[in-house]
């Protein structure tokens, strides 16, 4: 029996067993283990496509998500077993989203709207649902692939679900890993022309974006040691915003809320180029971005 045949047999058996409500919790555990053991991206995409096209699988997983809604009113009654089961269901949906056809299918099926209630909670509730919040953000990050097929449709569908506002909410109230993933999603949106326009068209929305980013940098300064990827995402966000700073009279707002910590060497131990004479282009990426950002913010506005 070939490994490929064994893998497909195991996959089909798990999908069929998922329909049995009495054993579904255990099946979700096994399905997550099976996903983890997919050693290549191609294998993961194949599994995602197979899951998406299997009868009843997506409705069953959606049922697992919706079943938790009543307990959002009092998440203290949500047991660890229930939380783990929900995260397992979300991870399977994330595996689906690894395939482009399934990804656009999930968005056309309005999957973000079913996830939003978990992200619209208060800071205290989010603290109790950290694992669930992180699983949802990881799923949204998997959906947010704008440089592939259906990319622009995916962007517009996500923007319609208030994903920017929800990411900002998570940056303000989530723990470090939640903030990291939410900022990653935000910068991917800002790097798209239509996403940048969306964030800058309404003054209130634009002001909220730069205020939240400023508060995030303040967290880095006061009580959190950021990693290189976090700093890079924040700098990329400001760089995107600075490129449209002349439009609509928002230049002064960008400068007012720009955190000086990014350029006053507060994070020099992270962003400084190694003194070695031989360095990779990656070593220069953040310093070059900061240099361009300073240029964008110090130019005189056009008369």
């Amino acid at each position: 029996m070939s490994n490929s045949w064994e893998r497909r047999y195991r996959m089909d058996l798990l999908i069929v067993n998922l329909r049995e409500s009495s054993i579904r919790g255990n099946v979700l555990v096994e399905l997550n283990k099976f996903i983890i053991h997919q050693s290549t991206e191609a294998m993961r995409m194949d599994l995602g496509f197979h899951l998406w096209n299997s009868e009843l699988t997506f409705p069953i997983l959606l049922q697992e998500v919706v079943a938790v809604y009543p307990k959002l009113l009092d998440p203290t009654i949500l047991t660890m077993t229930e939380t783990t089961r929900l995260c397992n269901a979300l991870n399977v949906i994330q595996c689906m989203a690894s395939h482009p056809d399934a990804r656009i299918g999930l968005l056309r099926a309005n999957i973000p709207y079913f996830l939003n209630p978990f992200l619209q909670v208060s800071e205290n509730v989010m603290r109790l649902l950290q694992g669930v919040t992180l699983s949802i953000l990881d799923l949204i990050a998997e959906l947010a692939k704008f440089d592939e097929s259906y990319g622009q449709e995916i962007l517009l569908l996500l923007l319609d679900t208030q994903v920017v506002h929800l990411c900002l909410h998570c940056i303000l109230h989530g723990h470090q890993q939640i903030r990291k993933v939410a900022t990653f999603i935000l910068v991917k949106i800002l790097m798209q022309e239509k996403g940048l326009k969306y964030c800058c068209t309404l003054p209130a929305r634009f002001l909220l974006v730069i205020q939240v980013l400023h508060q995030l940098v303040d967290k880095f300064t006061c009580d959190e040691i950021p990693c290189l990827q976090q700093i890079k995402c924040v700098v990329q966000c400001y760089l995107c915003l600075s490129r449209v700073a002349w439009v609509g009279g928002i230049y002064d707002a960008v400068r007012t809320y720009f955190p000086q910590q990014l350029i006053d060497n507060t994070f020099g131990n992270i962003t400084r180029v190694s003194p070695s004479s031989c360095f990779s282009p990656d070593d220069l990426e953040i310093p070059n971005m900061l240099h361009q950002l300073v240029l964008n913010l110090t130019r005189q506005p056009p008369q």
Side-chain angles (χ1 to χ4, degrees), residues 159-171:
L159 292 177
D160 282 344
T161 66
Q162 302 297 312
V163 65
V164 171
H165 176 78
L166 293 171
C167 283
L168 294 175
H169 182 70
C170 289
I171 292 170

Side-chain angles (χ1 to χ4, degrees), residues 54-271:
S54 58
E55 187 178 6
L56 298 180
T57 299
F58 178 59
I60 287 171
L61 295 170
L62 205 55
Q63 183 181 355
E64 291 292 315
V65 174
V66 174
V68 182
Y69 283 179
K71 295 196 175 182
L72 289 177
L73 298 174
D74 182 10
T76 59
I77 64 175
L78 192 64
T79 67
M80 182 63 69
T81 299
E82 291 171 323
T83 301
T84 301
R85 178 165 170 160
L86 174 58
C87 289
N88 285 337
L90 291 167
N91 292 343
V92 177
I93 299 175
Q94 182 180 342
C95 179
M96 284 184 178
S98 64
H99 193 281
D101 291 342
R103 189 179 307 133
I104 189 63
L106 287 166
L107 282 162
R108 289 171 179 169
N110 294 319
I111 183 62
Y113 286 109
F114 292 95
L115 306 177
N116 287 357
F118 296 95
L119 301 181
Q120 293 170 330
V121 296
S122 67
E123 182 177 0
N124 289 336
V125 174
M126 187 177 291
R127 190 176 297 114
L128 296 171
L129 298 174
Q130 291 182 2
V132 174
T133 303
L134 190 56
S135 292
I136 290 174
L137 288 175
D138 284 338
L139 170 53
I140 294 175
E142 187 69 43
L143 291 169
K145 294 187 175 178
F146 309 128
D147 55 349
E148 299 180 358
S149 55
Y150 310 112
Q152 290 307 296
E153 183 181 356
I154 286 173
L155 173 64
L156 294 177
L157 286 169
L158 277 177
L159 292 177
D160 282 344
T161 66
Q162 302 297 312
V163 65
V164 171
H165 176 78
L166 293 171
C167 283
L168 294 175
H169 182 70
C170 289
I171 292 170
L172 279 176
H173 302 301
H175 63 53
Q176 184 174 9
Q177 188 60 28
I178 287 174
R179 290 196 291 269
K180 181 178 178 181
V181 181
T183 308
F184 174 72
I185 297 168
L186 178 62
V187 75
K188 291 188 72 173
I189 291 171
L190 288 171
M191 291 175 70
Q192 300 296 310
E193 182 180 350
K194 292 179 180 178
L196 182 60
K197 183 178 180 180
Y198 173 88
C199 291
C200 296
T201 299
L202 297 179
R205 184 185 296 150
F206 168 78
L207 191 59
L208 180 62
V209 171
I210 58 176
Q211 286 177 332
V212 170
L213 287 172
H214 194 291
Q215 290 182 54
L216 178 59
V217 175
D218 285 343
K219 286 181 183 291
F220 293 162
T221 306
C222 298
D223 55 15
E224 183 176 308
I225 301 175
C227 66
L228 183 65
Q229 187 64 37
Q230 284 178 298
I231 291 291
K232 179 181 176 182
C233 283
V234 172
V235 173
Q236 282 181 312
C237 285
Y238 274 106
L239 189 57
C240 291
L241 293 169
S242 72
R243 287 173 179 153
V244 293
W246 309 112
V247 181
I250 60 177
Y251 175 74
D252 288 338
V254 177
R255 294 193 64 181
T256 299
Y257 288 97
F258 178 72
Q260 292 299 311
Q261 300 100 308
L262 290 178
I263 56 176
D264 68 2
N265 209 38
T266 297
F267 308 112
N269 60 320
I270 300 174
T271 62

